[in-house]
Amino acid sequence: MARKLSTLVVFGAILFALLQHVSMAQQTHVVGDTLAWTVPNGGAASYSTWAAGKTFVIDDVLVFNFVNGTHNVAMVSKASFDSCNTTSPINTISNGPARIRLTNSGEHYYMCTFPRHCSLGQKLVINVTGTDVTAPTPSTASTPSSPTVPSSDSPVNSPPAPSASAPSLVLATLPLTFLSFALVRLLN
């Protein structure tokens, strides 16, 4: 009986660890939630407050909901973000809603480049944690990692392509099925 109990404890610990791994799956964050991506009444504090309550990790997706022609979302450097300089964005998405998959850790800076929108508070900085996604690169070129930006015709509700670094949910749950089977056999 003591052997069965100790084996049960070991299986329980393994099961708990596997469930923790599965629960850390990708999340989709709708920027501003119901505020969406617009010039906020509360200024830049609106998006800072929103981001403060979130944890952003590699493979998460940001969704910027906005009306085409009235806003956009630009990825910018810290210097451009701080000064609301819209002249040299890293990348700009003009068709909303925009989906951006986070592929590298560190601070990420976003703003709207429409006149005065950034200075009125339509800007967001987030800190992304985790291990950078490494994509195969040609041996002749070395390019820095940057967020993946979908084309303007990417549908909003389609999930991002699975990455090689993130196991699918099916593969992640196979050990759970095996453990459940083994546990039932052990208890009988």
Side-chain angles (χ1 to χ4, degrees), residues 65-123:
N65 287 320
F66 60 90
V67 176
N68 295 343
T70 60
H71 301 285
N72 63 20
V73 59
M75 291 170 271
V76 297
S77 67
K78 180 179 182 349
S80 293
F81 179 86
D82 290 342
S83 64
C84 285
N85 181 345
T86 62
T87 60
S88 57
I90 297 166
N91 199 343
T92 303
I93 303 171
S94 298
N95 293 322
R99 295 176 61 88
I100 299 174
R101 183 173 154 250
L102 304 172
T103 59
N104 58 337
S105 59
E107 290 190 331
H108 294 245
Y109 302 92
Y110 304 96
M111 71 166 103
C112 181
T113 63
F114 278 60
R116 297 185 22 142
H117 287 201
C118 177
S119 61
L120 291 172
Q122 192 174 1
K123 57 197 252 178

Side-chain angles (χ1 to χ4, degrees), residues 26-50:
Q26 167 207 58
Q27 289 189 24
T28 299
H29 303 276
V30 178
V31 174
D33 294 325
T34 57
L35 173 63
W37 184 241
T38 188
V39 175
N41 288 334
S46 298
Y47 291 112
S48 298
T49 302
W50 173 82

Side-chain angles (χ1 to χ4, degrees), residues 16-26 168-169 171-173 176:
F16 178 76
L18 286 170
L19 287 173
Q20 288 296 329
H21 174 73
V22 171
S23 71
M24 295 184 337
Q26 167 207 58
S168 71
L169 186 56
L171 291 177
T173 58
L176 296 176

Side-chain angles (χ1 to χ4, degrees), residues 97-177:
R99 295 176 61 88
I100 299 174
R101 183 173 154 250
L102 304 172
T103 59
N104 58 337
S105 59
E107 290 190 331
H108 294 245
Y109 302 92
Y110 304 96
M111 71 166 103
C112 181
T113 63
F114 278 60
R116 297 185 22 142
H117 287 201
C118 177
S119 61
L120 291 172
Q122 192 174 1
K123 57 197 252 178
L124 169 70
V125 60
I126 62 168
N127 186 40
V128 179
T129 59
T131 305
D132 291 357
V133 175
T134 54
T137 56
S139 59
T140 58
S142 170
T143 56
S145 177
S146 62
T148 302
V149 179
S151 65
S152 60
D153 58 341
S154 295
V156 142
N157 294 325
S158 66
S163 74
S165 65
S168 71
L169 186 56
V170 172
L171 291 177
T173 58
L174 283 177
L176 296 176
T177 305

